[in-house]
Amino acid sequence: MDVSEVARAADLLEAQGRTLVELGRGLERELVRWVPSRGGWCIAEIYGHLLDEETEDFRLRVASTLEDPGRPWPGIDPEARVAGRDWASRDLAATLESFAAARRDSVAWLREQTDADWHRIHLHPRFGAIGARDLLASWLDHDRLHLRQILTRLHDASDLIVEGGETAYAGEW
């Protein structure tokens, strides 16, 4: 990866972070704590997970791989963290502010990686060879996966917003 690719990735992480934060602002308490009948995380838990991943996963693992690809990564258990930290009962506005601050720090750090060797590979016991550039690509995509998940929750919760409202006119979901 050259400097322009890293800068582009930083720009995208910054923009996606802003999008995630803006999407979460102003959502009603009932809506952010609503869990679909099929299960899964509520919106508040998704945002808590995003904060956890920002502070305890992606940036740390990219940095570790760039600095010393042979160093073992600390273990993580996203499901257990979300449940144990009880993100569903926390104030979403505070979570959003913490996520925004952590993302700013991550983007600033990423912009400093002008001389990094993005070809370094970490050998993960479960996933095998993971390059620093793979982690960066995954970080970007992780945002998008959870953007989709949040939008799906909002779509699925339409009845909480307009009870009995039919959404077929909106178009194919």
Side-chain angles (χ1 to χ4, degrees), residues 9-19 103-104 107 111 143:
D11 290 346
L12 286 169
L13 278 173
E14 184 175 47
Q16 289 174 185
R18 281 194 311 267
T19 299
R103 179 55 61 94
R104 283 190 299 272
V107 168
R111 291 188 195 287
D143 280 358

Side-chain angles (χ1 to χ4, degrees), residues 14-157:
E14 184 175 47
Q16 289 174 185
R18 281 194 311 267
T19 299
L20 282 159
V21 169
E22 288 304 314
L23 183 59
R25 285 204 172 129
L27 295 177
E28 296 131 355
R29 185 176 175 87
E30 177 188 19
L31 185 59
V32 300
R33 284 165 177 69
W34 177 80
V35 177
S37 60
R38 67 181 174 281
W41 290 337
C42 67
I43 290 172
E45 290 170 319
I46 295 166
Y47 278 108
H49 167 72
L50 284 163
L51 176 56
D52 288 341
E53 293 294 296
E54 193 70 26
T55 57
E56 299 172 17
D57 186 355
F58 285 103
R59 179 175 160 197
L60 291 177
R61 290 177 180 220
V62 170
S64 178
T65 302
L66 291 174
E67 293 164 10
D68 179 2
R71 181 173 51 217
W73 291 343
I76 57 170
D77 183 345
E79 296 285 335
R81 283 189 304 192
V82 167
R85 292 175 178 171
D86 194 20
W87 288 112
S89 68
R90 294 193 188 191
D91 176 51
L92 182 60
T95 302
L96 292 172
E97 290 308 310
S98 294
F99 172 77
R103 179 55 61 94
R104 283 190 299 272
D105 291 346
S106 293
V107 168
W109 172 83
L110 188 57
R111 291 188 195 287
E112 293 170 358
Q113 305 311 305
T114 55
D115 295 328
D117 180 0
W118 288 91
H119 297 286
R120 289 187 169 198
I121 305 289
H122 174 82
L123 292 177
H124 190 277
R126 183 169 146 213
F127 295 106
I130 301 177
R133 64 188 314 127
D134 301 325
L135 287 168
L136 184 56
S138 294
W139 193 357
L140 287 162
D141 206 41
H142 184 259
D143 280 358
R144 296 174 190 142
L145 291 170
H146 288 297
L147 275 167
R148 180 179 69 187
Q149 187 182 30
I150 293 164
L151 291 172
T152 299
R153 291 293 179 278
L154 292 172
H155 169 75
D156 291 346

